[in-house]
Amino acid sequence: MIRILPLLLLLFAACPAQAQEVRKPVTILISIDGFRADYRERGITPTLSKLAAEGAHGALRPSFPTKTFPNHYAIVTGNRPDTNGITGNNMIDPRRPAVKFSLGDPKQSLDPFWWDEAEPAWVTANKAGVRTATMFWPGSEVAIHEIRPPDWLRYDENVGYAQRVNTILDWMRRPADIRPAFVTLYFEAVDSAGHEFGPDSAEVNAAIAEVDARIGDLVAGLAAMGQPAQLLVVADHGMRAIDESRVIQLADLIDLPSIIAVETGPYAAIEPAAGTDNRVYDALLKPHDHMTCNRREELPERLHYGKNPRVAAIICIAAPGWSILAGPPQWPVKGGAHGYDNQDPQMLALFVASGTPLKGDVGIVDNIEVYPLLMRLIGVAPIPGDASGALVKRLPR
Ligand code: AMP
Ligand code: ZN
Ligand code: ZN
């Protein structure tokens, strides 16, 4: 027995039944919320640096407003907020005047009413027979066009990052017929630290390093099971330092009961409380030192914003680093914020692609261009929308 054991082991090793199954590549779309494009140059992201060097890298210009929900939806639909219907983290629809969508209010944020104006990649993929699984993504918990990914989880920031990565690795260990071919993954820590401590803080660097390490675990875990992967690592917007010395109080311009401030901060979305009220327009539309206000119909064309009825009547954009407030701040004006003009270089967001045919420096591209690339990678026809195809045109023919 002792003598035949090595022989048996040898036989097993050579046995074709044990041979590695040839796995189809999985496409994983990873969002690191608030990862400003230049964070990648800090020398603290060995994983992202390696992926970028082997694949492609650049910067995503976010869509206006440079907030989380509008931009996550832009990335997975190829449509800017005006067209995709998620016009803000906070918004009011004239068809539902009594309620406000906000990302912290599940009663509204999980209602398909808000999301149905566009179709995210996972819904189209599902219809085309491409199995999808979402490890968080704004909108993935909602039955958009009546479809949810076959595997999805209710967003919970307490789910640890190792657990998120292990969930994906477990999905990939499944038998081929129930294994996802398109997966999303989301991390919030870089954004949270950016808000609390500012983009240049040690806390942001620690969050960047932590997320980079977890993406490293994902890459290693996939390699260990022989699972080829196409990774798109993106962010929704950047981050800019703010402080209490740069505050614009709307109360200095108009009595607050005359307005409904749907959104405040780097940009403000304002409705006259009385529906129409010339005093509000007169007070806000005049020139200001550190803020520019426009009727939604008169916003600069380059913002591609204002046609959707969910955009408030007046949109004010603060100068870089300034904060627009309607009354005492909900939290201290310190640390960092985003929501500024999408031409602000500090709003630029991460873009790295690895394991895909895309190679080299792609420069600055509009974030809606990720969608056609993503659809090409998963082999599903994209729904025509706002994207021009600027990224897919860079693919080798
Ligand atoms: P923002 O206020 O634009 O910085 O939004 C970032 C916050 O959005 C993060 O801190 C997350 O907690 C939150 N968030 C991200 N994804 C979701 C989701 N699917 N549902 C609810 N909140 C989310
Ligand atoms: Zn964000
Ligand atoms: Zn944020």
Side-chain angles (χ1 to χ4, degrees):
M1 185 63 194
I2 290 168
R3 254 191 295 160
I4 63 167
L5 195 66
L7 213 111
L8 269 174
L9 282 174
L10 230 148
L11 261 173
F12 257 113
C15 177
Q18 295 289 310
Q20 290 282 314
E21 164 207 351
V22 181
R23 286 168 166 264
K24 289 196 206 128
V26 60
T27 302
I28 308 184
L29 175 65
I30 305 175
S31 164
I32 311 178
D33 199 313
F35 193 115
R36 202 168 73 188
D38 65 322
Y39 287 174
R40 206 164 48 76
E41 291 152 26
R42 293 187 174 182
I44 52 175
T45 52
T47 308
L48 289 176
S49 298
K50 185 161 181 285
L51 296 177
E54 293 165 357
H57 56 93
L60 297 181
R61 185 179 304 290
S63 305
F64 184 81
T66 53
K67 292 283 187 184
T68 296
F69 269 41
N71 279 287
H72 275 87
Y73 212 41
I75 289 166
V76 294
T77 62
N79 283 332
R80 298 188 180 95
D82 222 22
T83 324
N84 73 34
I86 304 298
T87 60
N89 277 353
N90 297 292
M91 51 182 168
I92 293 175
D93 188 301
R95 290 166 292 178
R96 285 193 183 180
V99 296
K100 177 168 152 181
F101 174 102
S102 76
L103 48 85
D105 170 13
K107 193 160 185 303
Q108 292 307 320
S109 72
L110 299 182
D111 187 331
F113 168 79
W114 298 99
W115 302 88
D116 276 346
E117 292 185 13
E119 184 166 291
W122 59 79
V123 172
T124 316
N126 192 291
K127 288 180 183 170
V130 172
R131 194 174 170 109
T132 301
T134 50
M135 183 61 254
F136 302 155
W137 197 276
S140 63
E141 307 137 285
V142 187
I144 299 168
H145 297 172
E146 297 177 7
I147 292 174
R148 280 195 191 89
D151 292 285
W152 63 278
L153 292 115
R154 184 77 183 267
Y155 176 68
D156 178 357
E157 61 186 12
N158 296 309
V159 175
Y161 289 2
Q163 194 181 343
R164 298 182 198 191
V165 165
N166 286 332
T167 300
I168 293 181
L169 293 174
D170 282 343
W171 285 334
M172 300 319 298
R173 284 189 193 97
R174 287 178 178 174
D177 58 333
I178 56 161
R179 188 187 299 151
F182 167 42
V183 175
T184 72
L185 172 61
Y186 171 82
F187 299 107
E188 65 284 88
V190 175
D191 180 73
S192 309
H195 282 295
E196 197 172 348
F197 304 103
D200 300 315
S201 61
E203 287 84 353
V204 161
N205 286 349
I208 292 170
E210 154 77 2
V211 171
D212 186 80
R214 295 294 76 74
I215 296 175
D217 295 345
L218 176 67
V219 171
L222 292 168
M225 70 177 87
Q227 173 62 60
Q230 315 191 93
L231 304 184
L232 296 179
V233 195
V234 303
D236 48 353
H237 51 70
M239 188 65 68
R240 187 178 261 289
I242 56 167
D243 60 70
E244 59 188 7
S245 73
R246 291 177 290 174
V247 166
I248 302 147
Q249 275 293 359
L250 293 176
D252 295 339
L253 303 170
I254 184 84
D255 58 309
L256 291 181
S258 297
I259 61 167
I260 300 165
V262 183
E263 181 70 82
T264 55
Y267 90 98
I270 298 157
E271 295 285 358
T276 51
D277 182 344
N278 282 337
R279 286 179 320 114
V280 174
Y281 289 97
D282 291 345
L284 292 176
L285 296 177
K286 65 183 188 201
H288 307 281
D289 279 347
H290 305 290
M291 148 175 108
T292 308
C293 299
N294 277 293
R295 290 173 190 269
R296 63 169 211 218
E297 300 84 4
E298 287 161 12
L299 285 163
E301 183 58 33
R302 62 179 181 78
L303 294 174
H304 301 282
Y305 195 64
K307 292 197 175 65
N308 196 301
R310 294 173 181 176
V311 176
I314 301 169
I315 298 295
C316 300
I317 305 179
W322 287 74
S323 302
I324 307 168
L325 299 182
Q330 279 170 292
W331 44 79
V333 181
K334 68 174 182 68
H338 53 86
Y340 295 103
D341 193 323
N342 66 339
Q343 272 191 338
D344 178 353
Q346 294 201 18
M347 292 300 105
L348 289 177
L350 173 72
F351 178 72
V352 169
S354 149
T356 87
L358 194 67
K359 299 289 172 206
D361 186 350
V362 301
I364 299 175
V365 284
D366 288 349
N367 67 351
I368 48 174
E369 302 299 341
V370 172
Y371 170 77
L373 172 65
L374 172 65
M375 298 308 269
R376 178 73 66 88
L377 295 178
I378 64 178
V380 176
I383 297 174
D386 293 338
S388 70
L391 264 184
V392 277
K393 282 181 199 147
R394 288 178 161 272
L395 293 172
R397 282 168 204 277

